Amino acid sequence: MKDSFDNYKKFIESDPIFVFDTNVYLQPYRFTPDARDQILKALKDKTDSTFIPYQIYEEFLRHCDKERDSGFGKYINIRRDINSLVENTKNTTDGIFVKALEFKYPLVGKLKSDLADIIANMKAVYEQYEKDIKPEIDKDKESLRKDETKGYIEQLASEGKVGGVFTQAELLNIYAEGKLRYEHLLPPGFEDSVKDKDDPTRRKKFGDLILWKQVLLHAKSTGRDVIFITRDVKGDWWELEGKDEVPVESRRELIKEFKEITEKDFMMVTLNNFIAYNSRINKVDNTLVFIEMNAIDYADEVFEDCNWLEILDSEMDLTTHLIHSGDLQEYVDDPLSDVDVNSYEGQHKVLEIESVEMVENKVFIQGVFEKNVDISISSNSYGRESVHYSSSSGVCTIQGSFSITFLVVSTKENGDEGVEGIIYDNSSVEIDVGGFSVVDCHVECDDDDDYDDGYSGYHEVCIHCSNSAVYQTNSGEGVCDSHFSLYDFCSGCGCLFPLHTLTGAKCSNCDD
């Protein structure tokens, strides 16, 4: 039976048993307080018909404290990260100015004072931010402390809605059957075979099968249909359709096995659709919950329509990072001198949603993304009598943080499926990205641009110390890595110039 509103509405007329997967009971910990209340209300609406297989009960108890603690931890993490950023910036600039003052650069004292004011302002801005969001943080922490989710599970257990435990002999029989089922890719759970590599007991992979057996046993003893709600959308539970592998209904083998053993019917529904169907029947506004559960999809949709050049590099933010961060140096042999981004059309992926907020009709989504870009890298190294130039090109995978905002215009229903969604104003979309890092890079040397250029007069040692020189000044003097920060670097010729004398990334000769 397909996961659709009409089928759901017809199926629940038989007064089925509702079985919610472990991932459903853990989901409220990841929501904001208001969305957490909404999803708990939807779960409690089915209390009279709810059954918890012992496998789900045991998994929930094993993971719930960790999920709750991670909710507290997110506030500690951002405070730690911001403080670390401010302190590291302060320490780095202080170190640079120790060297700069030693060489008596002009107006360096004023520059140091101006930057110190900026760093102090950074700290003040964040401290004000903490004060502004304190009421919301306190509300979330209080909700986590009360832990109504765990309280609800304990209530269900006290009412006898948790199933019994299999004996050791019964479990051994299930393990033996599971091994045979998984060899023939019979659902559920065969995709969990990958858990073996981290499980010396080789038993964790049978968790879904144990759950399934407990559901079959309860349905047979009660003589009732079962509807199973889950966030798991893998192919060992669902029939998947299309290139995006959209779950449409439970695997036909499961429906057939359920019918053979219980003589009753079995239906599966995703958590997203359960909330949508339930809200539609009860005429409840669940916009916030829907957005939080589908935040990855909405972020991905926004990214699909965006101009990546404008987002990543309108002010040369990404290019500047690739040139100066040192992230790319491990992928080339010689010291990197310049980077060009040739194309921004590579694949992207939303890796994680960190927070979702909704203020009136304005939505804020923050998270982490990954993006492929085509790049060219120029590098050079200096020998006693020559300079070696080389270039390479390929694909670079970057990771970064994003913040997306948009205005919700209205909600919508997806035809006969009854799945609610939102309509947002495209002109209201704002995207901010930053915190770039290179996570992978595959480049190959361009043979035509790999050559040596004769050069004379290069100093072998640094003019500031006795270390080996890696760079040269525009006058041919050697400079080591330790004293590189005392100069401006031209990404065109690779030479060093007196600090603050270059107005751009290249010297006047290279800009011509």
Side-chain angles (χ1 to χ4, degrees):
M1 185 176 290
K2 287 193 173 183
D3 179 1
S4 70
F5 176 72
D6 288 339
N7 286 340
Y8 174 82
K9 190 174 180 181
K10 183 177 179 181
F11 195 86
I12 62 176
E13 291 176 357
S14 68
D15 188 27
I17 296 166
F18 279 77
V19 177
F20 297 95
D21 203 354
T22 309
N23 50 51
V24 173
Y25 289 124
L26 293 174
Q27 188 67 14
Y29 291 112
R30 300 161 191 164
F31 282 172
T32 57
D34 291 340
R36 189 178 298 138
D37 291 343
Q38 288 185 33
I39 192 171
L40 280 173
K41 188 176 185 301
L43 296 176
K44 290 177 179 179
D45 184 57
K46 302 301 179 185
T47 296
D48 291 342
S49 301
T50 295
F51 167 68
I52 304 181
Y54 188 83
Q55 179 69 18
I56 290 176
Y57 180 67
E58 189 271 334
E59 287 178 354
F60 173 81
L61 293 180
R62 188 173 354 121
H63 295 291
C64 65
D65 289 345
K66 181 179 179 181
E67 289 290 338
R68 183 193 62 207
D69 292 346
S70 69
F72 289 113
K74 63 186 177 184
Y75 300 115
I76 298 172
N77 292 341
I78 188 170
R79 182 182 296 112
R80 179 198 62 208
D81 292 344
I82 293 294
N83 286 336
S84 176
L85 170 65
V86 173
E87 289 303 316
N88 287 340
T89 302
K90 182 178 182 299
N91 289 336
T92 301
T93 53
D94 285 348
I96 291 173
F97 281 112
V98 166
K99 299 174 183 177
L101 289 168
E102 176 186 346
F103 292 98
K104 297 180 173 56
Y105 286 99
L107 299 177
V108 72
K110 182 179 183 304
L111 177 62
K112 179 181 180 182
S113 176
D114 290 345
L115 289 178
D117 290 342
I118 293 172
I119 294 170
N121 188 55
M122 288 171 58
K123 193 168 185 178
V125 168
Y126 177 67
E127 288 173 350
Q128 184 59 49
Y129 167 76
E130 277 197 318
K131 291 178 182 177
D132 292 342
I133 66 170
K134 189 175 186 302
E136 184 65 24
I137 290 177
D138 290 344
K139 180 180 179 181
D140 196 6
K141 286 184 175 180
E142 181 59 27
S143 174
L144 291 168
R145 286 191 192 96
K146 288 172 64 177
D147 201 351
E148 290 188 25
T149 306
K150 189 173 184 179
Y152 176 58
I153 299 298
E154 291 172 344
Q155 172 196 327
L156 293 175
S158 69
E159 294 174 358
K161 294 184 178 295
V162 175
V165 184
F166 282 138
T167 65
Q168 191 66 36
E170 289 170 329
L171 286 173
L172 288 172
N173 287 333
I174 292 173
Y175 299 153
E177 179 185 340
K179 184 177 180 181
L180 185 62
R181 290 174 73 121
Y182 291 3
E183 286 176 358
H184 296 279
L185 303 183
L186 288 175
F190 59 79
E191 290 192 19
D192 289 336
S193 294
V194 295
K195 293 180 179 180
D196 273 354
K197 66 178 183 179
D198 298 318
D199 177 25
T201 70
R202 298 183 180 272
R203 298 198 300 261
K204 291 181 180 179
K205 63 187 175 189
F206 298 119
D208 283 355
L209 182 58
I210 294 170
L211 155 64
W212 177 242
K213 292 292 185 178
Q214 291 170 344
V215 170
L216 288 172
L217 187 63
H218 187 73
K220 184 176 183 181
S221 66
T222 58
R224 294 169 67 184
D225 298 334
V226 167
I227 185 165
F228 181 49
I229 296 92
T230 181
R231 294 185 67 243
D232 190 341
V233 292
K234 299 200 305 295
D236 56 357
W237 277 105
W238 293 91
E239 297 288 346
L240 305 176
E241 276 190 359
K243 64 178 183 179
D244 294 329
E245 298 189 329
V246 177
V248 292
E249 65 178 323
S250 54
R251 288 283 295 254
R252 296 179 182 91
E253 299 97 324
L254 297 177
I255 296 173
K256 183 174 182 291
E257 182 178 5
F258 194 90
K259 192 75 170 180
E260 289 175 348
I261 293 176
T262 69
E263 299 183 353
K264 305 302 293 183
D265 292 322
F266 177 71
M267 181 182 183
M268 287 180 61
V269 175
T270 64
L271 175 59
N272 290 12
N273 286 349
F274 167 73
I275 296 295
Y277 301 159
N278 207 49
S279 299
R280 186 176 177 187
I281 291 171
N282 296 323
K283 295 180 171 55
V284 175
D285 180 11
N286 73 317
T287 306
L288 177 59
V289 174
F290 192 88
I291 292 172
E292 290 204 26
M293 288 195 299
N294 295 276
I296 284 184
D297 294 332
Y298 283 117
D300 191 63
E301 183 179 321
V302 168
F303 281 138
E304 284 287 347
D305 298 331
C306 76
N307 182 332
W308 280 102
L309 167 59
E310 182 178 329
I311 292 172
L312 295 174
D313 238 0
S314 61
E315 298 182 2
M316 300 296 287
D317 292 342
L318 176 60
T319 298
T320 299
H321 175 84
L322 295 177
I323 294 173
H324 297 293
S325 67
D327 286 359
L328 287 174
Q329 188 59 65
E330 65 179 284
Y331 300 100
V332 293
D333 294 330
D334 294 331
L336 182 149
S337 60
D338 195 17
V339 177
D340 289 315
V341 181
N342 303 319
S343 172
Y344 301 83
E345 300 301 318
Q347 292 183 333
H348 74 270
K349 183 178 182 181
V350 179
L351 299 180
E352 180 184 357
I353 298 296
E354 296 179 328
S355 68
V356 179
E357 298 176 65
M358 188 171 181
V359 180
E360 295 181 346
N361 68 328
K362 190 169 187 178
V363 175
F364 303 81
I365 302 175
Q366 290 83 35
V368 179
F369 73 97
E370 192 172 88
K371 173 71 175 171
N372 289 343
V373 292
D374 293 338
I375 63 170
S376 295
I377 301 175
S378 300
S379 55
N380 52 54
S381 61
Y382 298 92
R384 183 186 298 271
E385 298 179 349
S386 65
V387 184
H388 178 254
Y389 296 94
S390 63
S391 66
S392 51
S393 58
V395 177
C396 172
T397 302
I398 62 164
Q399 198 173 102
S401 299
F402 71 83
S403 176
I404 293 173
T405 63
F406 54 78
L407 296 177
V408 176
V409 178
S410 63
T411 58
K412 63 182 179 180
E413 294 178 1
N414 188 11
D416 294 336
E417 296 299 303
V419 179
E420 293 182 0
I422 62 168
I423 299 173
Y424 59 87
D425 180 2
N426 285 316
S427 66
S428 71
V429 173
E430 296 179 7
I431 307 173
D432 188 25
V433 298
F436 301 124
S437 64
V438 174
V439 294
D440 197 12
C441 186
H442 296 279
V443 293
E444 294 183 0
C445 182
D446 301 324
D447 292 336
D448 292 341
D449 293 322
D450 189 5
Y451 63 94
D452 289 325
D453 188 16
Y455 182 83
S456 60
Y458 176 64
H459 287 258
E460 230 176 22
V461 297
C462 175
I463 60 172
H464 301 288
C465 62
S466 58
N467 291 332
S468 296
V470 179
Y471 308 94
Q472 69 162 349
T473 68
N474 60 318
S475 58
E477 296 171 315
V479 177
C480 68
D481 274 327
S482 298
H483 291 92
F484 174 78
S485 61
L486 300 178
Y487 297 87
D488 285 345
F489 177 74
C490 172
S491 59
C493 62
C495 289
L496 302 181
F497 290 78
L499 198 63
H500 307 312
T501 59
L502 295 188
T503 57
K506 296 181 180 180
C507 67
S508 57
N509 291 332
C510 294
D511 268 338
D512 292 340

